[in-house]
Amino acid sequence: MENIAFHFLFLTYFSFALVCFIAQLKAENLPDDGGWTSQGLHHEGPCNIEVLDGSSLSLRGFLDRYAYSTPVVIRGVTDNTEFRSLCSKSTLLDEYGERKVRLSTANTHSYTKVDVAFRKYVDVLLRPQSPDVLGSDTLYFFGDNNLSEWRSLFDVYKPPPLVLPRTSRAYSFGIAGPGTGVPFHWHGPGFSEVIYGRKRWFLYPPGQAPHFHPNSTTLSWLTDTYPHLPEHQAPLECTIRPGEVLYFPDRWWHATLNLDTSVFMSTFLG
């Protein structure tokens, strides 16, 4: 009887320990999405942009090799752990849910703006986008932030320490659903960091304008045009994830595609 009782207790303890171990493994492998869970797109594509460890890149090396000529993806160049925690869905809704945000249409030449409550944007408009939607019919939350209202959040953000001489930083914060993105356009140099989700980038140098319709979304371009590009017209591209920063030089054409519900911050150097 004592042997039976011992084996029973042993099996009970072993089963409990096994259940706890499996639960711990699952918890460790769960994605830390900040509550922005959504069904992502399986369109990561290749990465033909150089990817570097931030610890191996000095300011001098950045200025000599990339700042004026070549995009680069840099890992571990920032530590935005605190900022990331403040950008969870529940935290942002608690703090900014009733405040107005300004949305823009995702059209290369459109300047249409729509003001809505942040909570309405998150609850109603933040959803996956269909490939057949026109850019003028989409609403995208990126930039146009009321700096006085969002300053307490932006003050926590740590931008990449790499800077260009005689430039200052301007931030653009955004949240967007799967399939959304900005079609091809260009402007001055800058960095883009993903806080949650994945964002795919497509880039062309200043002398190689991409073939695209200004009212077509990046998702429709990826579906209709990208597969038929000859090799010499293929873009530089890469999908960046949390903890990675992409740098794009001045006047480089670029388009973006959010593969998940993404939270991101761009730092423009002007």
Side-chain angles (χ1 to χ4, degrees):
M1 290 295 293
E2 289 181 358
N3 286 339
I4 294 176
F6 172 79
H7 286 300
F8 176 77
L9 289 173
F10 175 79
L11 289 174
T12 301
Y13 173 80
F14 178 78
S15 299
F16 176 75
L18 183 61
V19 168
C20 291
F21 178 70
I22 293 173
Q24 182 180 355
L25 284 179
K26 289 182 177 180
E28 290 175 351
N29 288 284
L30 284 174
D32 177 16
D33 57 18
W36 299 104
T37 306
S38 65
Q39 185 175 1
L41 303 178
H42 302 290
H43 295 310
E44 282 205 2
C47 181
N48 54 15
I49 299 175
E50 188 174 1
V51 180
L52 297 177
D53 187 316
S55 63
S56 67
L57 183 62
S58 66
L59 176 58
R60 185 73 264 163
F62 170 71
L63 293 175
D64 289 345
R65 295 174 57 190
Y66 307 103
Y68 303 104
S69 60
T70 307
V72 62
V73 176
I74 313 169
R75 291 176 176 159
V77 72
T78 62
D79 180 4
N80 278 302
T81 305
E82 182 181 0
F83 182 76
R84 180 179 167 87
S85 68
L86 294 175
C87 289
S88 69
K89 183 177 180 179
S90 59
T91 302
L92 284 182
L93 285 175
D94 287 345
E95 181 67 25
Y96 302 100
E98 308 314 316
R99 302 189 191 188
K100 296 288 186 180
V101 293
R102 177 156 291 180
L103 311 180
S104 305
T105 51
N107 178 301
T108 298
H109 304 306
S110 172
Y111 298 97
T112 303
K113 307 290 183 182
V114 178
D115 292 340
V116 301
F118 180 62
R119 186 177 301 279
K120 179 179 179 181
Y121 173 70
V122 172
D123 292 344
V124 179
L125 301 175
L126 187 63
R127 59 180 184 268
Q129 180 172 286
S130 171
D132 57 1
V133 175
L134 294 177
S136 57
D137 294 328
T138 66
L139 289 174
Y140 196 71
F141 174 42
F142 175 53
D144 285 324
N145 312 111
N146 185 320
L147 294 181
S148 61
E149 292 186 348
W150 293 79
R151 183 168 300 280
S152 61
L153 177 66
F154 291 176
D155 282 347
V156 178
Y157 180 71
K158 297 178 181 178
L162 305 168
V163 295
L164 301 183
R166 297 178 295 279
T167 63
S168 59
R169 299 185 179 100
Y171 296 146
S172 284
F173 178 67
I175 303 173
T180 63
V182 178
F184 282 105
H185 63 290
W186 61 265
H187 44 67
F191 297 93
S192 181
E193 179 172 2
V194 172
I195 309 302
Y196 289 109
R198 297 168 299 154
K199 181 185 285 285
R200 187 173 176 183
W201 280 75
F202 307 92
L203 302 102
Y204 287 94
Q208 187 181 350
H211 176 69
F212 72 102
H213 190 284
N215 200 30
S216 292
T217 63
T218 304
L219 183 57
S220 64
W221 176 86
L222 179 66
T223 303
D224 301 334
T225 303
Y226 176 90
H228 308 292
L229 292 174
E231 185 176 351
H232 70 279
Q233 293 182 11
L236 287 178
E237 60 178 292
C238 197
T239 295
I240 62 172
R241 300 169 180 80
E244 298 179 335
V245 173
L246 181 137
Y247 171 76
F248 51 90
D250 187 26
R251 296 177 181 268
W252 272 68
W253 289 92
H254 54 277
T256 61
L257 178 67
N258 297 293
L259 302 183
D260 309 300
T261 296
S262 302
V263 181
F264 47 92
M265 177 74 90
S266 288
T267 304
F268 297 121
L269 304 175

PDB file of all heavy atoms in Angstrom, residues 83 142-145 147 151 153-160 168-174 191 265-269:
ATOM      1  N   PHE A  83       9.234  53.065 -23.624  1.00  0.00           N
ATOM      2  CA  PHE A  83       8.318  53.612 -24.620  1.00  0.00           C
ATOM      3  C   PHE A  83       7.392  52.522 -25.154  1.00  0.00           C
ATOM      4  O   PHE A  83       6.194  52.742 -25.340  1.00  0.00           O
ATOM      5  CB  PHE A  83       9.116  54.238 -25.761  1.00  0.00           C
ATOM      6  CG  PHE A  83       8.270  54.872 -26.832  1.00  0.00           C
ATOM      7  CD1 PHE A  83       7.668  56.095 -26.627  1.00  0.00           C
ATOM      8  CD2 PHE A  83       8.097  54.230 -28.051  1.00  0.00           C
ATOM      9  CE1 PHE A  83       6.893  56.678 -27.623  1.00  0.00           C
ATOM     10  CE2 PHE A  83       7.328  54.801 -29.050  1.00  0.00           C
ATOM     11  CZ  PHE A  83       6.723  56.036 -28.834  1.00  0.00           C
ATOM     12  N   PHE A 142      -0.664  58.553 -39.137  1.00  0.00           N
ATOM     13  CA  PHE A 142       0.792  58.662 -39.168  1.00  0.00           C
ATOM     14  C   PHE A 142       1.159  60.136 -39.254  1.00  0.00           C
ATOM     15  O   PHE A 142       0.806  60.815 -40.213  1.00  0.00           O
ATOM     16  CB  PHE A 142       1.363  57.905 -40.356  1.00  0.00           C
ATOM     17  CG  PHE A 142       2.856  58.084 -40.517  1.00  0.00           C
ATOM     18  CD1 PHE A 142       3.711  57.825 -39.456  1.00  0.00           C
ATOM     19  CD2 PHE A 142       3.396  58.507 -41.703  1.00  0.00           C
ATOM     20  CE1 PHE A 142       5.082  57.987 -39.595  1.00  0.00           C
ATOM     21  CE2 PHE A 142       4.756  58.667 -41.859  1.00  0.00           C
ATOM     22  CZ  PHE A 142       5.604  58.406 -40.801  1.00  0.00           C
ATOM     23  N   GLY A 143       1.864  60.629 -38.254  1.00  0.00           N
ATOM     24  CA  GLY A 143       2.217  62.036 -38.248  1.00  0.00           C
ATOM     25  C   GLY A 143       1.023  62.887 -37.850  1.00  0.00           C
ATOM     26  O   GLY A 143       0.014  62.389 -37.354  1.00  0.00           O
ATOM     27  N   ASP A 144       1.123  64.165 -38.095  1.00  0.00           N
ATOM     28  CA  ASP A 144       0.061  65.111 -37.733  1.00  0.00           C
ATOM     29  C   ASP A 144      -0.340  64.973 -36.267  1.00  0.00           C
ATOM     30  O   ASP A 144      -1.502  65.153 -35.908  1.00  0.00           O
ATOM     31  CB  ASP A 144      -1.184  64.915 -38.623  1.00  0.00           C
ATOM     32  CG  ASP A 144      -0.967  65.476 -40.013  1.00  0.00           C
ATOM     33  OD1 ASP A 144      -0.290  66.502 -40.122  1.00  0.00           O
ATOM     34  OD2 ASP A 144      -1.464  64.877 -40.973  1.00  0.00           O
ATOM     35  N   ASN A 145       0.603  64.628 -35.414  1.00  0.00           N
ATOM     36  CA  ASN A 145       0.293  64.486 -33.996  1.00  0.00           C
ATOM     37  C   ASN A 145       0.273  65.848 -33.325  1.00  0.00           C
ATOM     38  O   ASN A 145       1.098  66.708 -33.621  1.00  0.00           O
ATOM     39  CB  ASN A 145       1.346  63.607 -33.299  1.00  0.00           C
ATOM     40  CG  ASN A 145       1.641  62.324 -34.049  1.00  0.00           C
ATOM     41  OD1 ASN A 145       2.727  62.159 -34.585  1.00  0.00           O
ATOM     42  ND2 ASN A 145       0.678  61.432 -34.097  1.00  0.00           N
ATOM     43  N   LEU A 147       1.509  67.807 -30.789  1.00  0.00           N
ATOM     44  CA  LEU A 147       2.692  67.594 -29.960  1.00  0.00           C
ATOM     45  C   LEU A 147       2.453  67.936 -28.498  1.00  0.00           C
ATOM     46  O   LEU A 147       3.022  67.303 -27.601  1.00  0.00           O
ATOM     47  CB  LEU A 147       3.863  68.410 -30.511  1.00  0.00           C
ATOM     48  CG  LEU A 147       4.387  67.981 -31.888  1.00  0.00           C
ATOM     49  CD1 LEU A 147       5.566  68.849 -32.308  1.00  0.00           C
ATOM     50  CD2 LEU A 147       4.800  66.513 -31.877  1.00  0.00           C
ATOM     51  N   ARG A 151       3.150  64.936 -26.018  1.00  0.00           N
ATOM     52  CA  ARG A 151       4.532  65.172 -25.612  1.00  0.00           C
ATOM     53  C   ARG A 151       5.002  64.240 -24.498  1.00  0.00           C
ATOM     54  O   ARG A 151       6.146  63.777 -24.496  1.00  0.00           O
ATOM     55  CB  ARG A 151       4.721  66.626 -25.183  1.00  0.00           C
ATOM     56  CG  ARG A 151       6.167  66.956 -24.823  1.00  0.00           C
ATOM     57  CD  ARG A 151       6.405  68.443 -24.691  1.00  0.00           C
ATOM     58  NE  ARG A 151       6.111  69.135 -25.916  1.00  0.00           N
ATOM     59  CZ  ARG A 151       6.928  69.192 -26.967  1.00  0.00           C
ATOM     60  NH1 ARG A 151       8.080  68.530 -26.930  1.00  0.00           N
ATOM     61  NH2 ARG A 151       6.592  69.863 -28.032  1.00  0.00           N
ATOM     62  N   LEU A 153       4.343  61.254 -24.031  1.00  0.00           N
ATOM     63  CA  LEU A 153       4.737  59.976 -24.627  1.00  0.00           C
ATOM     64  C   LEU A 153       6.016  60.135 -25.429  1.00  0.00           C
ATOM     65  O   LEU A 153       6.965  59.352 -25.273  1.00  0.00           O
ATOM     66  CB  LEU A 153       3.613  59.448 -25.522  1.00  0.00           C
ATOM     67  CG  LEU A 153       3.906  58.147 -26.275  1.00  0.00           C
ATOM     68  CD1 LEU A 153       4.054  56.980 -25.302  1.00  0.00           C
ATOM     69  CD2 LEU A 153       2.806  57.847 -27.294  1.00  0.00           C
ATOM     70  N   PHE A 154       6.070  61.155 -26.264  1.00  0.00           N
ATOM     71  CA  PHE A 154       7.229  61.334 -27.133  1.00  0.00           C
ATOM     72  C   PHE A 154       8.502  61.621 -26.342  1.00  0.00           C
ATOM     73  O   PHE A 154       9.600  61.277 -26.785  1.00  0.00           O
ATOM     74  CB  PHE A 154       6.981  62.459 -28.134  1.00  0.00           C
ATOM     75  CG  PHE A 154       5.934  62.144 -29.176  1.00  0.00           C
ATOM     76  CD1 PHE A 154       5.545  63.090 -30.100  1.00  0.00           C
ATOM     77  CD2 PHE A 154       5.336  60.893 -29.236  1.00  0.00           C
ATOM     78  CE1 PHE A 154       4.589  62.809 -31.060  1.00  0.00           C
ATOM     79  CE2 PHE A 154       4.373  60.598 -30.191  1.00  0.00           C
ATOM     80  CZ  PHE A 154       4.000  61.564 -31.109  1.00  0.00           C
ATOM     81  N   ASP A 155       8.364  62.249 -25.185  1.00  0.00           N
ATOM     82  CA  ASP A 155       9.540  62.556 -24.375  1.00  0.00           C
ATOM     83  C   ASP A 155      10.238  61.290 -23.879  1.00  0.00           C
ATOM     84  O   ASP A 155      11.419  61.327 -23.522  1.00  0.00           O
ATOM     85  CB  ASP A 155       9.152  63.427 -23.178  1.00  0.00           C
ATOM     86  CG  ASP A 155       8.941  64.883 -23.572  1.00  0.00           C
ATOM     87  OD1 ASP A 155       9.321  65.255 -24.697  1.00  0.00           O
ATOM     88  OD2 ASP A 155       8.388  65.648 -22.755  1.00  0.00           O
ATOM     89  N   VAL A 156       9.511  60.178 -23.846  1.00  0.00           N
ATOM     90  CA  VAL A 156      10.094  58.912 -23.384  1.00  0.00           C
ATOM     91  C   VAL A 156      10.859  58.213 -24.513  1.00  0.00           C
ATOM     92  O   VAL A 156      11.761  57.411 -24.267  1.00  0.00           O
ATOM     93  CB  VAL A 156       8.989  57.987 -22.820  1.00  0.00           C
ATOM     94  CG1 VAL A 156       9.551  56.645 -22.379  1.00  0.00           C
ATOM     95  CG2 VAL A 156       8.271  58.671 -21.666  1.00  0.00           C
ATOM     96  N   TYR A 157      10.510  58.532 -25.756  1.00  0.00           N
ATOM     97  CA  TYR A 157      11.136  57.855 -26.898  1.00  0.00           C
ATOM     98  C   TYR A 157      12.603  58.228 -27.018  1.00  0.00           C
ATOM     99  O   TYR A 157      12.989  59.399 -26.916  1.00  0.00           O
ATOM    100  CB  TYR A 157      10.409  58.212 -28.194  1.00  0.00           C
ATOM    101  CG  TYR A 157      11.008  57.551 -29.408  1.00  0.00           C
ATOM    102  CD1 TYR A 157      10.872  56.185 -29.610  1.00  0.00           C
ATOM    103  CD2 TYR A 157      11.742  58.286 -30.337  1.00  0.00           C
ATOM    104  CE1 TYR A 157      11.447  55.558 -30.709  1.00  0.00           C
ATOM    105  CE2 TYR A 157      12.307  57.678 -31.449  1.00  0.00           C
ATOM    106  CZ  TYR A 157      12.156  56.314 -31.634  1.00  0.00           C
ATOM    107  OH  TYR A 157      12.731  55.701 -32.722  1.00  0.00           O
ATOM    108  N   LYS A 158      13.442  57.229 -27.248  1.00  0.00           N
ATOM    109  CA  LYS A 158      14.871  57.434 -27.434  1.00  0.00           C
ATOM    110  C   LYS A 158      15.203  57.232 -28.910  1.00  0.00           C
ATOM    111  O   LYS A 158      15.209  56.100 -29.399  1.00  0.00           O
ATOM    112  CB  LYS A 158      15.669  56.461 -26.566  1.00  0.00           C
ATOM    113  CG  LYS A 158      15.448  56.661 -25.070  1.00  0.00           C
ATOM    114  CD  LYS A 158      16.240  55.631 -24.270  1.00  0.00           C
ATOM    115  CE  LYS A 158      16.004  55.801 -22.778  1.00  0.00           C
ATOM    116  NZ  LYS A 158      16.738  54.781 -21.978  1.00  0.00           N
ATOM    117  N   PRO A 159      15.472  58.295 -29.649  1.00  0.00           N
ATOM    118  CA  PRO A 159      15.753  58.160 -31.086  1.00  0.00           C
ATOM    119  C   PRO A 159      17.131  57.551 -31.308  1.00  0.00           C
ATOM    120  O   PRO A 159      17.968  57.521 -30.396  1.00  0.00           O
ATOM    121  CB  PRO A 159      15.706  59.610 -31.576  1.00  0.00           C
ATOM    122  CG  PRO A 159      16.137  60.409 -30.383  1.00  0.00           C
ATOM    123  CD  PRO A 159      15.561  59.681 -29.190  1.00  0.00           C
ATOM    124  N   PRO A 160      17.387  57.075 -32.510  1.00  0.00           N
ATOM    125  CA  PRO A 160      18.734  56.593 -32.818  1.00  0.00           C
ATOM    126  C   PRO A 160      19.755  57.701 -32.571  1.00  0.00           C
ATOM    127  O   PRO A 160      19.519  58.865 -32.922  1.00  0.00           O
ATOM    128  CB  PRO A 160      18.645  56.229 -34.304  1.00  0.00           C
ATOM    129  CG  PRO A 160      17.194  55.936 -34.523  1.00  0.00           C
ATOM    130  CD  PRO A 160      16.459  56.879 -33.630  1.00  0.00           C
ATOM    131  N   SER A 168      18.000  68.707 -37.398  1.00  0.00           N
ATOM    132  CA  SER A 168      17.268  68.504 -36.152  1.00  0.00           C
ATOM    133  C   SER A 168      16.254  67.392 -36.372  1.00  0.00           C
ATOM    134  O   SER A 168      15.942  67.022 -37.515  1.00  0.00           O
ATOM    135  CB  SER A 168      16.569  69.793 -35.716  1.00  0.00           C
ATOM    136  OG  SER A 168      15.673  70.230 -36.722  1.00  0.00           O
ATOM    137  N   ARG A 169      15.704  66.863 -35.258  1.00  0.00           N
ATOM    138  CA  ARG A 169      14.786  65.732 -35.341  1.00  0.00           C
ATOM    139  C   ARG A 169      13.336  66.192 -35.281  1.00  0.00           C
ATOM    140  O   ARG A 169      12.989  67.111 -34.547  1.00  0.00           O
ATOM    141  CB  ARG A 169      15.040  64.747 -34.206  1.00  0.00           C
ATOM    142  CG  ARG A 169      16.420  64.113 -34.176  1.00  0.00           C
ATOM    143  CD  ARG A 169      16.477  63.083 -33.072  1.00  0.00           C
ATOM    144  NE  ARG A 169      17.759  62.396 -32.972  1.00  0.00           N
ATOM    145  CZ  ARG A 169      18.688  62.700 -32.090  1.00  0.00           C
ATOM    146  NH1 ARG A 169      18.473  63.672 -31.223  1.00  0.00           N
ATOM    147  NH2 ARG A 169      19.826  62.023 -32.044  1.00  0.00           N
ATOM    148  N   ALA A 170      12.484  65.509 -36.036  1.00  0.00           N
ATOM    149  CA  ALA A 170      11.031  65.682 -35.940  1.00  0.00           C
ATOM    150  C   ALA A 170      10.414  64.292 -35.943  1.00  0.00           C
ATOM    151  O   ALA A 170      10.762  63.443 -36.774  1.00  0.00           O
ATOM    152  CB  ALA A 170      10.492  66.509 -37.104  1.00  0.00           C
ATOM    153  N   TYR A 171       9.487  64.041 -35.005  1.00  0.00           N
ATOM    154  CA  TYR A 171       8.902  62.715 -34.852  1.00  0.00           C
ATOM    155  C   TYR A 171       7.563  62.607 -35.573  1.00  0.00           C
ATOM    156  O   TYR A 171       6.788  63.562 -35.640  1.00  0.00           O
ATOM    157  CB  TYR A 171       8.670  62.393 -33.373  1.00  0.00           C
ATOM    158  CG  TYR A 171       9.920  62.311 -32.536  1.00  0.00           C
ATOM    159  CD1 TYR A 171       9.919  62.720 -31.206  1.00  0.00           C
ATOM    160  CD2 TYR A 171      11.109  61.821 -33.070  1.00  0.00           C
ATOM    161  CE1 TYR A 171      11.064  62.638 -30.428  1.00  0.00           C
ATOM    162  CE2 TYR A 171      12.250  61.736 -32.299  1.00  0.00           C
ATOM    163  CZ  TYR A 171      12.225  62.152 -30.983  1.00  0.00           C
ATOM    164  OH  TYR A 171      13.358  62.066 -30.223  1.00  0.00           O
ATOM    165  N   SER A 172       7.303  61.402 -36.073  1.00  0.00           N
ATOM    166  CA  SER A 172       5.981  61.051 -36.600  1.00  0.00           C
ATOM    167  C   SER A 172       5.620  59.676 -36.058  1.00  0.00           C
ATOM    168  O   SER A 172       6.290  58.680 -36.376  1.00  0.00           O
ATOM    169  CB  SER A 172       5.969  61.039 -38.124  1.00  0.00           C
ATOM    170  OG  SER A 172       5.956  62.355 -38.638  1.00  0.00           O
ATOM    171  N   PHE A 173       4.580  59.638 -35.253  1.00  0.00           N
ATOM    172  CA  PHE A 173       4.131  58.419 -34.587  1.00  0.00           C
ATOM    173  C   PHE A 173       2.936  57.857 -35.344  1.00  0.00           C
ATOM    174  O   PHE A 173       2.077  58.619 -35.816  1.00  0.00           O
ATOM    175  CB  PHE A 173       3.735  58.773 -33.152  1.00  0.00           C
ATOM    176  CG  PHE A 173       3.195  57.623 -32.340  1.00  0.00           C
ATOM    177  CD1 PHE A 173       4.009  56.562 -31.988  1.00  0.00           C
ATOM    178  CD2 PHE A 173       1.877  57.623 -31.904  1.00  0.00           C
ATOM    179  CE1 PHE A 173       3.523  55.518 -31.215  1.00  0.00           C
ATOM    180  CE2 PHE A 173       1.378  56.595 -31.132  1.00  0.00           C
ATOM    181  CZ  PHE A 173       2.205  55.531 -30.789  1.00  0.00           C
ATOM    182  N   GLY A 174       2.863  56.535 -35.477  1.00  0.00           N
ATOM    183  CA  GLY A 174       1.759  55.962 -36.229  1.00  0.00           C
ATOM    184  C   GLY A 174       1.319  54.604 -35.716  1.00  0.00           C
ATOM    185  O   GLY A 174       2.085  53.885 -35.064  1.00  0.00           O
ATOM    186  N   PHE A 191      14.895  57.999 -39.967  1.00  0.00           N
ATOM    187  CA  PHE A 191      14.882  56.651 -39.407  1.00  0.00           C
ATOM    188  C   PHE A 191      13.433  56.220 -39.179  1.00  0.00           C
ATOM    189  O   PHE A 191      12.569  57.050 -38.918  1.00  0.00           O
ATOM    190  CB  PHE A 191      15.592  56.614 -38.046  1.00  0.00           C
ATOM    191  CG  PHE A 191      17.051  56.966 -38.087  1.00  0.00           C
ATOM    192  CD1 PHE A 191      17.471  58.267 -37.869  1.00  0.00           C
ATOM    193  CD2 PHE A 191      18.005  55.986 -38.333  1.00  0.00           C
ATOM    194  CE1 PHE A 191      18.813  58.594 -37.883  1.00  0.00           C
ATOM    195  CE2 PHE A 191      19.354  56.302 -38.355  1.00  0.00           C
ATOM    196  CZ  PHE A 191      19.768  57.613 -38.129  1.00  0.00           C
ATOM    197  N   MET A 265       7.480  54.544 -35.036  1.00  0.00           N
ATOM    198  CA  MET A 265       7.924  55.916 -34.880  1.00  0.00           C
ATOM    199  C   MET A 265       8.987  56.232 -35.938  1.00  0.00           C
ATOM    200  O   MET A 265       9.968  55.478 -36.074  1.00  0.00           O
ATOM    201  CB  MET A 265       8.508  56.153 -33.486  1.00  0.00           C
ATOM    202  CG  MET A 265       9.060  57.547 -33.265  1.00  0.00           C
ATOM    203  SD  MET A 265       7.768  58.799 -33.068  1.00  0.00           S
ATOM    204  CE  MET A 265       7.558  58.739 -31.276  1.00  0.00           C
ATOM    205  N   SER A 266       8.768  57.305 -36.664  1.00  0.00           N
ATOM    206  CA  SER A 266       9.784  57.770 -37.616  1.00  0.00           C
ATOM    207  C   SER A 266      10.436  59.032 -37.086  1.00  0.00           C
ATOM    208  O   SER A 266       9.778  59.870 -36.451  1.00  0.00           O
ATOM    209  CB  SER A 266       9.171  58.035 -38.992  1.00  0.00           C
ATOM    210  OG  SER A 266       8.835  56.832 -39.632  1.00  0.00           O
ATOM    211  N   THR A 267      11.719  59.153 -37.312  1.00  0.00           N
ATOM    212  CA  THR A 267      12.468  60.330 -36.919  1.00  0.00           C
ATOM    213  C   THR A 267      13.018  60.976 -38.183  1.00  0.00           C
ATOM    214  O   THR A 267      13.923  60.430 -38.833  1.00  0.00           O
ATOM    215  CB  THR A 267      13.637  59.952 -35.991  1.00  0.00           C
ATOM    216  OG1 THR A 267      13.121  59.238 -34.850  1.00  0.00           O
ATOM    217  CG2 THR A 267      14.371  61.192 -35.511  1.00  0.00           C
ATOM    218  N   PHE A 268      12.445  62.107 -38.579  1.00  0.00           N
ATOM    219  CA  PHE A 268      12.889  62.800 -39.784  1.00  0.00           C
ATOM    220  C   PHE A 268      13.992  63.780 -39.418  1.00  0.00           C
ATOM    221  O   PHE A 268      13.922  64.487 -38.400  1.00  0.00           O
ATOM    222  CB  PHE A 268      11.714  63.533 -40.437  1.00  0.00           C
ATOM    223  CG  PHE A 268      10.620  62.618 -40.899  1.00  0.00           C
ATOM    224  CD1 PHE A 268       9.334  62.751 -40.410  1.00  0.00           C
ATOM    225  CD2 PHE A 268      10.872  61.617 -41.811  1.00  0.00           C
ATOM    226  CE1 PHE A 268       8.322  61.903 -40.832  1.00  0.00           C
ATOM    227  CE2 PHE A 268       9.876  60.755 -42.240  1.00  0.00           C
ATOM    228  CZ  PHE A 268       8.588  60.902 -41.746  1.00  0.00           C
ATOM    229  N   LEU A 269      15.007  63.833 -40.269  1.00  0.00           N
ATOM    230  CA  LEU A 269      16.140  64.710 -40.059  1.00  0.00           C
ATOM    231  C   LEU A 269      16.049  65.864 -41.047  1.00  0.00           C
ATOM    232  O   LEU A 269      16.192  65.667 -42.265  1.00  0.00           O
ATOM    233  CB  LEU A 269      17.450  63.931 -40.246  1.00  0.00           C
ATOM    234  CG  LEU A 269      17.604  62.684 -39.371  1.00  0.00           C
ATOM    235  CD1 LEU A 269      18.881  61.929 -39.727  1.00  0.00           C
ATOM    236  CD2 LEU A 269      17.594  63.045 -37.902  1.00  0.00           C
TER     237      LEU A 269
END
